[in-house]
Amino acid sequence: MMKLYDGGVYLVDGTQLIPDDENSSAALAAAAGQATSKEEAAKGTIAYGILKAHNTSGNMQKLKIKFDKLTSHDITFVGIIQTARASGLEKFPIPYVLTNCHNSLCAVGGTINEDDHMFGLTCAKKYGGVYVPPHQAVIHQFAREMLAGGGRMILGSDSHTRYGALGTMAMGEGGPELVKQLLSQTYDINMPGVVAVYLKGEPAFGVGPQDVALAIIGEVFDKGYVKNKVMEFVGPGVKNLSADFRIGIDVMTTETTCLSSIWETDEKIREFYQIHKREEDFGEELHPAKVAYYDGCIEIDLSKIRPMIAMPFHPSNTYTIEEVNQNLSDVLADVEKRALVSLDGAVEYSLKDKVRDGKFYVDQGIIAGCAGGGFENICAASDILKGKYIGSDGFTLSVYPASMPVYMELIKNGCAATLMETGAVLKTAFCGPCFGAGDTPANNAFSVRHSTRNFPNREGSKLQNGQIASVALMDARSIAATAANKGRLTPASEFGGSFTGYSYHFDEKIYENRVFDSKGVADPATEIQFGPNIKDWPKMVALTDHLVLRVVSEIHDPVTTTDELIPSGETSSYRSNPLGLAEFALSRKDPAYVGRAKEIQKVEKAREAFVAGESQEKPCSALDGFHDVMMTITEKFPDAVPEKTGVGSTIFAVKPGDGSAREQAASCQKVLGGWANIANEYATKRYRSNLINWGMLPLLIPAGELPFANLDYIFLPNIRKAVEEKADTIEAYAVKDGGLTAFTMTLGELTDEERQIILKGCLINYNRV
């Protein structure tokens, strides 16, 4: 079904793979009829060409990228614009689309969600942007329909910003990276590796895009095979996939931890642009050069993939549905074993009650969002469910078309009526089910979803309240087959009928009549509409000569997600209020974190007041026991005085930052006095970038070496000098038992700009005018 190559490969004429080994030169000469160096062949990838066209540095090893367009949704754009405003924003320099698909329900905190929407609308007018009202489209569907273009690059503040199937290299990053683009700065990265995803064959009956995506994720995630690389989809199998099918695979590449994705394009993609009334944006077909070199290769026989399921609590925990049904006891035991780690034993968790008469029954089905809400997915679900009924027991099925144009076509072709007749509920475009703000299951319920993630509690349950529900990811087709059997887990390959193959017709008037588009013309006279929950970022100070850090959370899970660092769900409504949102930081993973962080932050606030002459109170008196800590430190480092020594918190996690691009996973720590993270590695580039952009040190310590524990203090002497002088190692001391225990850490590679941001204290300070 799938093969991962141990090293690089050459692709000749888009069809022939030649491994990079001792025989590759002869094989290349025979296949290509020409000699090609690896360096030249590496320039033959689609990715290289697009990156080169957008690079402003003149050095293809050290990229400084300027994007063509930006996009955000309503739990990110307020913070982004507030940051940019604090840095001198006057006008959006490139098209910036503000969508409203996350805080759409306006059901939490009174007026605060709609206040954010009005903030977005008035900012689109003032600065020259585009505003998509709630319920019109989820962020990525609007981008596919209206923004993508062949050879373009788009940056979005959502991790599933992926439009590679349409010939657009798109990246999802934390908000500060969009701020840089708004301030006409650049996205700075080393030239990423490029991995070929070589497709051959065509999907078997009943197999959908989510099945292919989950098969890939299950194969590569744990191996880190594509981490921070570009996945380039090539090979003869590409032509056997529709545009919608490719899009459905592409959006899930985020779950592999890759940097971005790009696909070959052809007449099917040209037709997509034609349908959406903008054929000119297709550009030219994208293909690798006659000889292209890739840093790795995933070879996939599409015909061998079967309907898949990702069991809790990660998209990489994959099985075929047949495997689950045939080995229920073993699979469920493994999930329960994983739960002991993911849930920290906070609640009892078992799936054995879902087994009835030897069959596994689920409680809920959801087809939604940027992954599941596409036209073909929902039409296929309609075909499977036609003439069936989901029943009147506990099982429920909700379907969320990804945009109003998709919804309109489902109404016109009868699929909407077919689904509603079964007992399914059709809802408007909304991302809520994906992050715990819609269709949260009952306690102990099990949901199967064609959405993007199934992290612990992401569906909205709260461990701190004794609740647990869980999610498995499946394709819309198998969800429909399961619904047709009233919740009995069923692969779509068992569907005995046929698929209609509906044609899609895009109604552009829906957006023309409702979306505000400034056409890039700013109106400086427009007054921004604020609400009482929209707050400015608090003041943040520059990095001091020395640092005293207190470890206030210690997490030893193999991976820590951004959902665990700052929970999603109803907390998303508070993302326009930095201090208000920070109250929820690590609330599901380590409920004591906020209180501990605030304790040590009192010392820093006292230090700042003392240094400014606003208080005569010594900082040491702000927290019991801190005086003794400083006495131990100053005995060896007498210049660790308040004027030179900042005080803050840090967390330790083995591998933090998997999942969402949300900057708040870092900023919430920052506004609570966080000055660093310590990790064995960072799960994603975007989380590490968020730490840096909020002025936090992304410290690294080798696995197995932990000379400190939770609530210990760590002293970093001359840390400012170490950052300035690009020191290879960071000198550190654990303050224990009245003494100092030396150890070292590293910061990893930092650009000159990133060093300056850390030195200044945050991106706002770096840009402040």
Side-chain angles (χ1 to χ4, degrees):
M1 178 177 76
M2 196 172 306
K3 174 184 177 181
L4 302 186
Y5 284 70
D6 291 334
V9 301
Y10 294 89
L11 178 66
V12 180
D13 292 327
T15 59
Q16 185 176 353
L17 292 172
I18 298 176
D20 180 19
D21 57 26
E22 65 275 8
N23 301 314
S24 58
S25 295
L28 269 176
Q34 64 186 55
T36 307
S37 70
K38 183 185 298 186
E39 292 72 24
E40 280 303 306
K43 298 176 183 178
T45 65
I46 303 169
Y48 185 93
I50 294 176
L51 289 169
K52 183 177 181 181
H54 291 82
N55 180 36
T56 64
S57 72
N59 178 355
M60 284 301 291
Q61 298 309 306
K62 299 287 183 180
L63 304 178
K64 290 182 173 291
I65 300 296
K66 286 203 169 184
F67 289 84
D68 298 299
K69 296 180 180 180
L70 307 175
T71 186
S72 294
H73 51 61
D74 49 347
I75 54 176
T76 57
F77 65 60
V78 176
I80 290 167
I81 295 172
Q82 285 286 74
T83 303
R85 289 180 64 244
S87 305
L89 175 70
E90 295 182 356
K91 182 185 185 298
F92 296 155
I94 57 176
Y96 186 20
V97 178
L98 312 179
T99 63
N100 294 272
C101 53
H102 279 60
N103 284 340
S104 305
L105 298 183
C106 306
V108 176
T111 70
I112 61 179
N113 289 342
E114 189 65 6
D115 289 342
D116 287 354
H117 300 157
M118 291 302 97
F119 174 94
L121 176 60
T122 52
C123 285
K125 293 178 178 179
K126 184 178 185 68
Y127 299 117
V130 177
Y131 174 85
V132 183
H135 306 287
Q136 293 298 306
V138 301
I139 178 173
H140 304 308
Q141 185 66 16
F142 186 84
R144 295 162 189 153
E145 294 170 350
M146 304 301 292
L147 305 181
R152 289 180 184 163
M153 291 191 73
I154 293 177
L155 182 66
S157 56
D158 183 272
S159 56
H160 290 98
T161 306
R162 292 284 188 271
Y163 317 125
L166 300 176
T168 300
M169 189 180 290
M171 299 175 183
E173 286 283 354
E177 291 299 331
L178 277 80
V179 172
K180 291 177 183 177
Q181 296 290 312
L182 291 175
L183 300 176
S184 298
Q185 297 166 5
T186 55
Y187 178 71
D188 300 347
I189 54 171
N190 292 334
M191 177 66 190
V194 184
V195 173
V197 185
Y198 183 87
L199 304 179
K200 60 185 181 182
E202 58 183 301
F205 180 82
V207 168
Q210 187 80 328
D211 298 315
V212 179
L214 293 178
I216 295 171
I217 296 163
E219 188 67 29
V220 306
F221 176 81
D222 285 341
K223 301 177 179 71
Y225 191 79
V226 296
K227 182 178 177 181
N228 294 332
K229 296 181 173 67
V230 177
M231 297 174 72
E232 184 160 310
F233 289 77
V234 295
V238 172
K239 69 177 185 297
N240 297 326
L241 305 178
S242 69
D244 256 20
F245 203 112
R246 298 178 205 185
I247 286 168
I249 298 171
D250 186 61
V251 71
M252 291 297 292
T253 59
T254 295
E255 303 312 315
T256 67
T257 69
C258 74
L259 178 72
S260 187
S261 62
I262 193 67
W263 291 58
E264 292 188 87
T265 59
D266 54 19
E267 285 303 308
K268 288 184 179 179
I269 302 303
R270 184 189 298 275
E271 182 184 21
F272 178 94
Y273 284 101
Q274 289 172 339
I275 289 169
H276 290 86
K277 315 296 173 67
R278 52 191 194 94
E279 183 180 0
E280 68 280 1
D281 289 328
F282 173 74
E284 298 180 355
E285 287 191 11
L286 300 178
H287 299 285
K290 181 177 179 62
V291 179
Y293 178 80
Y294 295 91
D295 299 286
C297 179
I298 307 166
E299 185 176 355
I300 303 170
D301 185 345
L302 293 167
S303 68
K304 300 290 181 61
I305 291 176
R306 296 294 177 260
M308 301 290 293
I309 182 170
M311 294 293 281
F313 293 95
H314 198 274
S316 65
N317 188 20
T318 54
Y319 303 84
T320 66
I321 296 175
E322 288 93 338
E323 281 181 292
V324 173
N325 285 333
Q326 291 168 10
N327 303 283
L328 263 179
S329 59
D330 291 342
V331 172
L332 298 188
D334 180 71
V335 173
E336 291 171 7
K337 182 179 178 181
R338 288 172 180 260
L340 293 175
V341 175
S342 297
L343 307 178
D344 294 324
V347 295
E348 291 187 13
Y349 178 80
S350 175
L351 296 176
K352 292 185 174 65
D353 65 325
K354 307 302 175 190
V355 182
R356 304 199 296 270
D357 299 323
K359 305 295 183 182
F360 189 81
Y361 282 83
V362 308
D363 303 291
Q364 181 192 69
I366 303 288
I367 301 170
C370 59
F375 177 74
E376 287 183 6
N377 291 329
I378 298 174
C379 288
S382 170
D383 284 340
I384 292 170
L385 278 162
K386 191 168 186 177
K388 306 291 196 310
Y389 303 92
I390 69 171
S392 57
D393 208 342
F395 179 82
T396 61
L397 176 64
S398 295
V399 179
Y400 293 76
S403 71
M404 273 297 178
V406 171
Y407 204 150
M408 175 72 84
E409 191 61 22
L410 294 169
I411 291 171
K412 289 179 178 178
N413 71 15
C415 288
T418 296
L419 286 167
M420 286 190 282
E421 188 178 29
T422 71
V425 178
L426 265 70
K427 303 181 180 180
T428 53
F430 177 43
C431 297
C434 186
F435 69 97
D439 285 292
T440 299
N443 189 45
N444 294 316
F446 189 89
S447 177
V448 289
R449 301 185 172 194
H450 192 157
S451 59
T452 57
R453 292 196 174 119
N454 60 337
F455 296 161
N457 308 108
R458 184 177 171 92
E459 81 298 321
S461 60
K462 298 187 176 81
L463 289 178
Q464 65 270 37
N465 292 346
Q467 304 169 4
I468 182 59
S470 52
V471 168
L473 302 181
M474 284 170 35
D475 189 84
R477 293 149 189 80
S478 292
I479 292 173
T482 298
N485 285 321
K486 298 178 174 55
R488 177 170 63 81
L489 185 65
T490 307
S493 53
E494 294 184 8
F495 171 51
S498 60
F499 294 105
T500 304
Y502 296 93
S503 296
Y504 182 65
H505 304 90
F506 175 71
D507 185 348
E508 71 274 23
K509 290 185 173 57
I510 293 174
Y511 292 151
E512 288 176 359
N513 293 333
R514 192 70 191 97
V515 172
F516 170 79
D517 186 351
S518 71
K519 307 295 184 184
V521 178
D523 179 9
T526 300
E527 291 290 331
I528 298 175
Q529 185 170 327
F530 290 89
N533 186 60
I534 298 175
K535 305 293 186 182
D536 292 330
W537 293 103
K539 179 185 175 183
M540 300 174 197
V541 300
L543 181 64
T544 49
D545 291 343
H546 318 297
L547 272 183
V548 177
L549 300 174
R550 193 179 198 191
V551 183
V552 293
S553 186
E554 185 180 353
I555 305 170
H556 289 275
D557 293 1
V559 179
T560 302
T561 68
T562 48
D563 285 74
E564 292 169 308
L565 294 170
I566 180 64
S568 53
E570 80 278 15
T571 63
S572 298
S573 295
Y574 297 94
R575 290 200 195 177
S576 302
N577 183 341
L579 291 171
L581 181 67
E583 294 291 332
F584 298 97
L586 275 83
S587 58
R588 294 178 189 168
K589 192 65 184 173
D590 186 354
Y593 165 78
V594 171
R596 291 169 176 167
K598 285 183 174 181
E599 275 190 347
I600 194 66
Q601 189 180 34
K602 290 178 185 176
V603 181
E604 173 60 18
K605 288 183 175 179
R607 183 195 75 84
E608 292 173 21
F610 178 80
V611 171
E614 298 168 359
S615 170
Q616 298 302 310
E617 183 181 0
K618 292 291 182 69
C620 288
S621 62
L623 179 63
D624 289 345
F626 191 73
H627 178 270
D628 293 338
V629 170
M630 291 309 300
M631 288 292 291
T632 300
I633 292 171
T634 53
E635 186 174 341
K636 181 176 177 66
F637 297 94
D639 69 334
V641 294
E643 291 80 3
K644 294 184 176 183
T645 308
V647 181
S649 58
T650 186
I651 68 168
F652 168 79
V654 172
K655 188 178 179 181
D658 185 29
S660 172
R662 68 187 69 155
E663 64 180 280
Q664 294 87 357
S667 67
C668 284
Q669 297 176 55
K670 179 68 173 184
V671 301
L672 290 173
W675 228 317
N677 272 196
I678 303 173
N680 297 145
E681 67 174 298
Y682 291 96
T684 57
K685 174 208 168 292
R686 54 185 174 267
Y687 178 67
R688 183 175 182 271
S689 293
N690 285 336
L691 292 174
I692 293 165
N693 285 322
W694 284 107
M696 298 174 70
L697 298 162
L699 295 165
L700 290 163
I701 191 168
E705 296 183 16
L706 206 62
F708 55 82
N710 203 19
L711 301 184
D712 281 353
Y713 288 90
I714 299 170
F715 179 59
L716 303 181
N718 304 307
I719 183 61
R720 185 176 182 88
K721 182 180 179 182
V723 173
E724 289 174 333
E725 297 184 355
K726 305 180 182 180
D728 292 332
T729 59
I730 302 299
E731 180 185 8
Y733 294 86
V735 186
K736 282 190 170 187
D737 303 322
L740 300 177
T741 303
F743 65 100
T744 60
M745 296 184 282
T746 60
L747 276 172
E749 185 177 0
L750 293 168
T751 67
D752 290 343
E753 289 82 2
E754 287 174 332
R755 290 180 186 278
Q756 287 302 313
I757 291 167
I758 290 173
L759 292 169
K760 294 281 188 179
C762 64
L763 183 66
I764 295 174
N765 293 354
Y766 174 77
N767 286 313
R768 193 179 296 277
V769 294

